[in-house]
């Protein structure tokens, strides 16, 4: 079988990135975020690479936890959205997954539950993101409620930072202050930090940290590169040049004839498009790497192809490998040209992409 678009996952880089997490937060337990198929890196693969080294695995939902244990993963899973429906509870109890409780309806379901072993729960407080969580001001009342349910085992308290990646620190400092005030004197562990929080805010490195994107080697911070954070990219996405064309001045390239050549142009057609997860909104000028040189995208991204300007790389030939992101071309850079974030590129790869692995 030929390999058209490949995503090579460097599991040694993922292990390295976990060591970086431990350097930033040496006394914290680590709950690695492996949700969304480990941000497109393959949850089973990443779990096997890190299984013995993570203290817990954060997934979005029960299905993702089941996939991991079916594959032999032993690390306890935390369901970040908790129950999606009450019908999940018997399976969650039987599997001993850890639940995040973030809404009154979930407490009501648990109130009526009976379980031989106590159900381990994190309580999520909202400190300003206004997405999931109980109002932080109600923490004591929620605690009293949970404490009165012998079927529950309170692991601790969680909140999520909305702006930890931003240069402006004010909003995050307010969230941190609100959280610490809310849980003061209450029993249980604390967990606040995603990747950005644990790098940029030492006070956010509490009993547990919850790194996601940094495990995969992308920078979580505005204005700081992955390399500056000590991280190594773990995903390398490549395709190939399948045609080279000499296009005359004034000729338009691709759908909508949006790109018009201002001079005779040698262009390359690369076998990757939005049907593979290459971002359709990547603008003209988005770089790709051919023979270690950055050459710019021109014209619109199609389902199966993109076109690139080869004027800066005259030695390029049909069959050349083309790196879309990875070593030498951070996903963050490509994402910025496409008006998105690296997370979105990672998660967006489709099942047409062939996965390979190195560093095992
Ligand atoms: C996804 C997620 C994380 C990890 O976030 P990163 O920005 O990828 O580090 C941490 N906590 C919660 C609640 C999440 O949903």
């Amino acid at each position: 079988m030929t390999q058209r678009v490949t995503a090579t996952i460097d599991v040694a880089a993922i292990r390295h990135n976990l060591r970086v997490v431990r350097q930033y937060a040496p006394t914290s337990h680590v709950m690695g975020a492996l949700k969304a198929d480990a941000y497109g890196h393959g949850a089973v693969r990443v779990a096997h690479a890190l299984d013995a080294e993570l203290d817990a695995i954060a997934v979005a939902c029960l299905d993702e936890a089941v996939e991991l244990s079916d594959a032999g993963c032993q690390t306890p899973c935390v369901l970040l959205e908790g129950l999606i429906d009450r019908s999940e509870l018997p399976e969650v109890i039987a599997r001993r997954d850890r639940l995040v409780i973030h809404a009154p309806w979930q407490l009501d379901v648990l109130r009526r539950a009976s379980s031989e072993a106590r159900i381990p729960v994190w309580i999520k407080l909202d400190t300003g993101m206004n997405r999931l969580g109980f109002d932080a001001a109600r923490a004591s009342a929620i605690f009293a409620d949970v404490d009165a349910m012998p079927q529950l085992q309170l692991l601790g308290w969680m909140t999520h930072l909305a702006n930890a990646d931003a240069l402006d620190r004010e909003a995050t400092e307010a969230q941190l202050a609100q959280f610490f005030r809310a849980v003061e004197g209450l029993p249980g562990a604390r967990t606040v930090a995603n990747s950005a929080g644990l790098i940029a805010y030492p006070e956010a490195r509490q009993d547990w940290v919850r790194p996601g994107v940094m495990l995969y080697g992308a920078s979580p911070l505005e204005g700081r590169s992955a390399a500056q954070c000590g991280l190594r990219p773990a995903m390398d996405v490549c395709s190939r040049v399948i045609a080279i064309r000499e296009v005359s001045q004034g000729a338009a390239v691709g759908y909508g004839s949006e790109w018009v050549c201002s001079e005779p142009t040698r262009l390359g057609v690369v076998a990757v498009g939005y049907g593979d997860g290459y971002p359709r909104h990547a603008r003209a000028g988005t770089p790709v790497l051919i023979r270690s040189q950055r050459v710019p995208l021109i014209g619109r991204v199609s389902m199966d192809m993109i076109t690139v300007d080869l004027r800066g790389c005259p030695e390029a030939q049909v069959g050349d490998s083309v790196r879309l992101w990875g070593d030498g071309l951070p996903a963050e850079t490509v994402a910025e040209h496409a008006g998105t974030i690296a997370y979105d590129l990672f998660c967006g790869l489709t099942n047409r992409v062939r996965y390979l692995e190195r560093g095992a």
Side-chain angles (χ1 to χ4, degrees):
M1 218 208 301
T2 57
Q3 299 183 353
R4 186 172 149 277
V5 182
T6 59
T8 305
I9 306 301
D10 183 349
V11 295
I14 296 173
R15 281 198 216 96
H16 164 86
N17 295 331
L18 177 58
R19 287 193 293 275
V20 174
V21 170
R22 299 262 184 216
Q23 283 162 12
Y24 281 109
T27 62
S28 303
H29 295 289
V30 178
M31 187 189 299
L34 270 62
K35 61 193 181 186
D37 203 24
Y39 297 41
H41 291 65
V44 169
R45 169 186 300 112
V46 174
H48 283 313
L50 299 181
D51 208 11
E53 289 159 61
L54 289 173
D55 304 301
I57 289 177
V59 292
C61 57
L62 178 57
D63 284 2
E64 292 183 336
V66 169
E67 184 194 9
L68 292 176
S69 39
D70 283 354
C73 170
Q74 305 281 324
T75 309
C77 285
V78 180
L79 312 188
L80 290 173
E81 295 181 345
L83 296 172
I84 303 293
D85 186 90
R86 64 172 67 232
S87 60
E88 293 176 334
L89 188 59
E91 192 174 358
V92 167
I93 291 174
R95 295 170 37 81
R96 315 225 56 227
D97 290 321
R98 302 175 181 185
L99 283 176
V100 172
I101 310 177
H102 56 75
W105 75 265
Q106 295 177 326
L107 265 183
D108 291 340
V109 170
L110 291 166
R111 203 185 314 281
R112 275 178 255 121
S114 63
S115 170
E116 275 168 32
R118 294 163 82 205
I119 306 162
V121 299
W122 287 96
I123 302 173
K124 185 159 189 176
L125 299 178
D126 179 22
T127 55
M129 184 145 179
N130 291 305
R131 195 179 59 179
L132 291 185
F134 297 96
D135 181 352
R138 294 191 52 232
S140 300
I142 306 285
F143 171 70
D145 207 1
V146 167
D147 197 42
M149 292 187 225
Q151 66 274 38
L152 300 187
Q153 175 201 358
L154 176 64
L155 298 173
W157 304 87
M158 176 180 294
T159 197
H160 196 45
L161 301 172
N163 298 286
D165 57 320
L167 293 173
D168 184 349
R169 300 177 72 86
E170 196 181 317
T172 301
E173 273 156 13
Q175 280 200 271
L176 290 168
Q178 198 188 345
F179 180 72
F180 296 135
R181 207 179 318 120
V183 299
E184 200 183 333
L186 296 174
R190 276 91 168 112
T191 176
V192 177
N194 55 3
S195 301
L198 86 90
I199 294 178
Y201 294 86
E203 65 275 38
R205 301 168 197 153
Q206 292 283 312
D207 303 299
W208 288 78
V209 292
R210 309 191 305 268
V213 81
M214 70 183 291
L215 292 175
Y216 311 107
S219 169
L221 296 174
E222 198 183 311
R224 212 185 307 176
S225 70
Q228 286 169 322
C229 298
L231 302 169
R232 276 166 43 193
M235 179 191 282
D236 212 34
V237 179
C238 291
S239 183
R240 302 184 199 204
V241 177
I242 56 166
I244 290 184
R245 308 280 308 277
E246 305 285 346
V247 182
S248 49
Q249 181 183 355
V253 180
Y255 285 116
S257 301
E258 223 164 66
W259 177 270
V260 179
C261 297
S262 60
E263 60 175 35
T265 300
R266 187 163 180 263
L267 69 81
V269 181
V270 181
V272 67
Y274 62 80
D276 304 285
Y278 191 83
R280 199 183 84 86
H281 296 290
R283 290 186 288 270
T286 304
V288 307
L289 273 189
I290 301 180
R291 298 184 180 231
S292 306
Q293 283 179 65
R294 289 191 181 197
V295 304
L297 180 82
I298 56 177
R300 280 195 201 155
V301 172
S302 316
M303 185 183 289
D304 310 317
M305 283 170 265
I306 58 173
T307 40
V308 298
D309 180 348
L310 293 176
R311 281 176 295 173
C313 186
E315 63 280 21
Q317 285 179 14
V318 166
D320 277 1
S321 170
V322 180
R323 180 162 295 147
L324 289 326
W325 61 80
D327 284 336
L329 180 58
E332 298 90 302
T333 304
V334 177
E336 211 175 296
H337 280 86
T340 187
I341 53 178
Y343 299 66
D344 186 26
L345 299 188
F346 294 157
C347 291
L349 292 182
T350 69
N351 59 12
R352 195 157 70 172
V353 174
R354 281 250 266 159
Y355 277 76
L356 307 171
E357 201 170 296
R358 68 166 189 249

